[in-house]
């Protein structure tokens, strides 16, 4: 690559050589370290490439070897500039292009995060925008040290941050802590445990509070399972005081879930016809240009897009995006669901609901699926018999008693 750039920057020539001793000429070029390449023998002559600086040094070698040289072609930047020396607008456009590239190099056109697993790219990018760091801002306004400190302060799980500006890119490397940074504080706020769902109690382990139900009882949503109010009874079996605690316990109940989903009896089928339209588009800043044949009237197409951001070097990104668009024609029609398709659809719904229940820590004991058809719809009914934790904490409304104030009325006589 460097050799190619050197040849084109200083210029090189395509030369034809004839004469008495061409072998001696090539040997002397090698001895004087004059670069010659792509030598081809064509009948009575030799043709080869040579650099402009090398061509200026071979006059004594030509005289000693008794050969003659004839320049066939000239290549490289010096000859290009000489041929276009009178094209002022061409030169102005070239320098204008270089000035635009220089102006674009003063801004940030790409932000990359590396090493983030707990925090998504969008989350980190939104935080940067809240810190006034975004696409299109001047590089001189970015303080990498302040950004590193802000990220460590805002996200406690980030233990190490390295931010740097390279070219037109902001590169942020992150290392996250894999263990908990804070030990959760135990909640001691007085509260009751109440049922968040109807069910039948199957097991109870109460660590603090007063149990209000027992195993086998049926409870409704909102019923108090464990009370955080502890009455203190005196010798005369009267309530002399009340103590409030944070109710805690493991209560499991047998519950039920019922889901009904209605789907049309007819399924829409989309079939590709094989016709394809391709196009390209270019987007710069908020402007975009699309080059694609218009679709015929009365036809339906699906389009997919592939987009790439242009860059000159590894870290010199530009605010220019180019993309390819592929459109495929399709036709759609409706047909009734087959029995196998209905069962497959019901299985997909059933698995989806099972996954949601398992994610909540619900144990599924029984599962029943029914498919019912009527004149216009297909109804899929799913019944789950489950076992799950039932208690939910609810803050207590503590009652306070006010003691009457004693007042002393004294009459003073003077």
């Amino acid at each position: 690559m460097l050799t190619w750039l050197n040849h084109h920057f200083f210029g090189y020539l395509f030369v034809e050589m004839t004469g008495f001793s061409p072998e001696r000429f090539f040997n002397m070029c090698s001895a004087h370290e004059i670069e010659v390449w792509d030598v081809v023998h064509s009948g009575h002559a030799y043709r080869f490439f040579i650099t402009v600086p090398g061509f200026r040094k071979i006059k004594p070698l030509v005289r000693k070897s008794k050969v003659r040289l004839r320049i066939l072609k000239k290549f490289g930047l010096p000859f290009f500039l000489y041929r276009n020396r009178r094209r002022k607008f061409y030169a102005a456009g070239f320098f204008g292009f270089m000035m635009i590239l220089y102006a674009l190099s003063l801004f940030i056109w790409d932000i990359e995060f590396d090493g983030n697993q707990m925090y998504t790219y969008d989350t980190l990018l939104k935080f940067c925008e809240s810190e006034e760091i975004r696409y299109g801002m001047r590089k001189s306004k970015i303080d990498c040290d302040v950004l590193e400190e802000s990220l460590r302060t805002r996200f406690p799980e980030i233990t190490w941050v390295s931010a740097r500006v390279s070219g037109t890119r902001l590169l942020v490397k992150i290392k996250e802590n894999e263990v908990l940074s804070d030990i959760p504080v135990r909640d001691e706020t007085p509260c009751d445990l109440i049922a968040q769902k109807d069910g039948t109690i199957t097991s109870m382990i109460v660590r603090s509070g007063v149990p209000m139900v027992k195993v086998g009882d049926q409870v409704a949503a909102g019923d108090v399972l464990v009370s955080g109010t502890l009455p203190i009874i005196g010798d005369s079996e009267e309530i002399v005081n009340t103590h409030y605690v944070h109710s805690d316990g493991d209560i499991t109940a047998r519950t039920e879930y019922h889901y009904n989903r209605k789907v049309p009896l007819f399924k829409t089928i989309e079939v590709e016809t094989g016709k394809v339209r391709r196009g390209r588009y270019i987007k710069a800043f908020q402007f975009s240009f699309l080059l694609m044949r218009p679709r015929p009237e009365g036809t339906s197409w699906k389009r997919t897009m592939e987009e790439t951001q242009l860059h000159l070097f590894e870290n010199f990104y530009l605010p220019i995006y180019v993309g390819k668009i592929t459109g495929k024609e399709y036709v759609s029609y409706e047909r009734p669901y087959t029995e196998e398709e209905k069962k497959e659809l019901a299985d997909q719904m059933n698995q989806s609901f099972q996954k949601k229940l398992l994610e909540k820590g619900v144990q599924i004991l029984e599962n029943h699926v029914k498919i019912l058809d009527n004149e216009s719809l297909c109804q899929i009914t799913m019944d789950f018999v489950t076992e799950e934790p039932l208690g939910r904490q609810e803050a207590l409304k503590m009652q306070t008693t006010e003691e009457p104030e004693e007042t002393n009325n004294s009459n003073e006589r003077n």
Side-chain angles (χ1 to χ4, degrees):
M1 184 64 181
L2 293 177
T3 304
W4 183 87
L5 289 175
N6 183 62
H7 291 166
H8 282 77
F9 185 79
F10 294 103
Y12 63 99
L13 305 171
F14 185 48
V15 179
E16 184 182 65
M17 180 182 65
T18 57
F20 177 72
S21 182
E23 294 83 1
R24 185 182 180 189
F25 171 80
F26 289 126
N27 290 335
M28 287 190 292
C29 286
S30 177
H32 289 79
E33 296 182 352
I34 297 175
E35 186 179 5
V36 174
W37 70 96
D38 290 348
V39 180
V40 178
H41 181 249
S42 58
H44 63 286
Y46 286 87
R47 293 183 177 182
F48 56 88
F49 292 94
I50 186 171
T51 62
V52 171
F55 187 80
R56 291 171 179 168
K57 298 177 183 179
I58 61 173
K59 189 174 182 180
L61 309 183
V62 170
R63 187 168 54 252
K64 289 181 180 181
S65 59
K66 298 180 182 180
V67 295
R68 298 180 62 185
L69 300 179
R70 184 166 67 95
I71 298 175
L72 301 179
K73 265 187 178 183
K74 302 176 181 180
F75 303 92
L77 182 62
F79 305 110
F80 175 80
L81 295 177
Y82 181 78
R83 287 194 300 267
N84 298 280
R85 63 188 181 279
R86 295 183 179 179
R87 298 184 178 181
K88 298 179 180 180
F89 290 104
Y90 192 94
F94 175 77
F95 286 109
F97 175 74
M98 298 303 295
M99 292 299 296
I100 291 174
L101 284 183
Y102 172 74
L104 292 176
S105 69
L106 301 177
F107 299 86
I108 291 293
W109 301 116
D110 183 61
I111 300 177
E112 179 180 332
F113 298 97
D114 183 24
N116 57 305
Q117 297 180 354
M118 185 176 301
Y119 302 105
T120 63
Y121 178 86
D122 292 337
T123 300
L124 297 174
L125 186 61
K126 288 180 180 179
F127 172 76
C128 289
E129 291 177 351
S130 67
E131 297 292 319
E132 301 299 328
I133 296 176
R134 55 176 56 90
Y135 293 104
M137 71 174 299
R138 289 183 65 91
K139 296 192 295 185
S140 58
K141 293 184 178 181
I142 297 179
D143 191 332
C144 293
D145 294 334
V146 174
L147 177 60
E148 292 172 1
E149 183 65 26
S150 301
L151 284 170
R152 287 193 296 265
T153 304
R154 174 62 179 82
F155 303 101
E157 301 302 329
I158 295 179
T159 58
W160 179 83
V161 183
S162 174
R164 65 185 179 94
V165 176
S166 178
T168 59
R169 306 177 74 192
L170 174 60
L171 305 176
V172 183
K173 292 186 178 180
I174 294 173
K175 186 175 181 181
E176 298 174 346
N177 192 7
E178 297 180 356
V179 297
L180 291 176
S181 58
D182 296 326
I183 299 176
V185 180
R186 184 176 179 181
D187 188 8
E188 297 292 345
T189 306
C191 66
D192 291 334
L193 283 182
I194 66 171
Q196 73 269 28
K197 186 176 176 60
D198 298 347
T200 303
I201 304 298
T202 56
S203 67
M204 286 187 66
I205 299 176
V206 179
R207 286 182 285 270
S208 63
V210 179
M212 305 301 291
V213 294
K214 60 182 183 298
V215 175
D217 289 352
Q218 292 186 354
V219 296
D223 289 350
V224 177
L225 305 178
V226 180
S227 176
T229 304
L230 298 180
I232 299 176
I233 302 175
D235 296 337
S236 59
E237 297 185 356
E238 294 180 355
I239 298 175
V240 297
N241 200 354
T242 303
H243 184 58
Y244 299 97
V245 298
H246 179 85
S247 297
D248 186 20
D250 297 329
I251 302 175
T252 305
R254 186 184 181 95
T255 57
E256 295 181 357
Y257 288 86
H258 305 281
Y259 297 102
N260 291 317
R261 291 294 181 267
K262 296 180 180 180
V263 295
L265 290 177
F266 291 87
K267 179 181 181 180
T268 302
I269 304 297
E270 297 178 350
V271 180
E272 295 183 1
T273 62
K275 295 182 179 180
V276 179
R277 293 187 303 127
R278 291 185 173 87
R280 294 186 176 272
Y281 73 93
I282 183 170
K283 182 174 64 176
F285 302 100
Q286 70 270 26
F287 305 101
S288 60
F289 175 75
L290 174 65
L291 182 62
M292 189 175 185
R293 291 185 293 107
R295 66 181 181 89
E297 295 184 1
T299 59
S300 301
W301 296 76
K302 292 181 179 179
R303 296 198 302 181
T304 57
M305 304 173 66
E306 298 179 7
E307 187 177 85
T308 305
Q309 186 175 3
L310 295 184
H311 57 93
L312 299 179
F313 308 105
E314 181 181 0
N315 290 323
F316 196 117
Y317 276 65
L318 302 174
I320 302 173
Y321 300 82
V322 295
K324 296 188 297 183
I325 303 175
T326 303
K328 296 182 179 181
E329 185 186 20
Y330 69 93
V331 294
S332 59
Y333 64 93
E334 292 185 348
R335 65 167 177 81
Y337 276 97
T338 63
E339 294 300 325
E340 293 181 357
E341 289 175 341
K342 292 178 183 178
K343 291 180 180 179
E344 183 179 356
L345 185 61
D347 289 340
Q348 292 177 358
M349 292 183 180
N350 190 29
Q351 291 176 6
S352 176
F353 284 116
Q354 285 188 38
K355 183 179 179 181
K356 292 179 180 178
L357 292 176
L358 293 174
E359 288 176 353
K360 296 178 181 179
V362 178
Q363 182 180 358
I364 300 175
L365 303 178
E366 298 179 15
N367 183 7
H368 305 282
V369 181
K370 296 180 181 179
I371 302 175
L372 304 175
D373 292 340
N374 54 29
E375 295 181 355
S376 59
L377 293 173
C378 172
Q379 182 174 341
I380 300 175
T381 303
M382 290 163 283
D383 299 322
F384 295 92
V385 178
T386 59
E387 194 173 62
E388 61 179 308
L390 201 63
R392 177 173 61 85
Q393 294 179 354
E394 185 176 89
L396 273 173
K397 296 181 180 179
M398 294 180 289
Q399 298 179 356
T400 58
T401 58
E402 297 182 357
E403 296 181 358
E405 296 182 357
E406 295 182 358
T407 58
N408 296 325
N409 297 325
S410 60
N411 296 325
E412 295 183 357
R413 297 181 180 179
N414 295 329

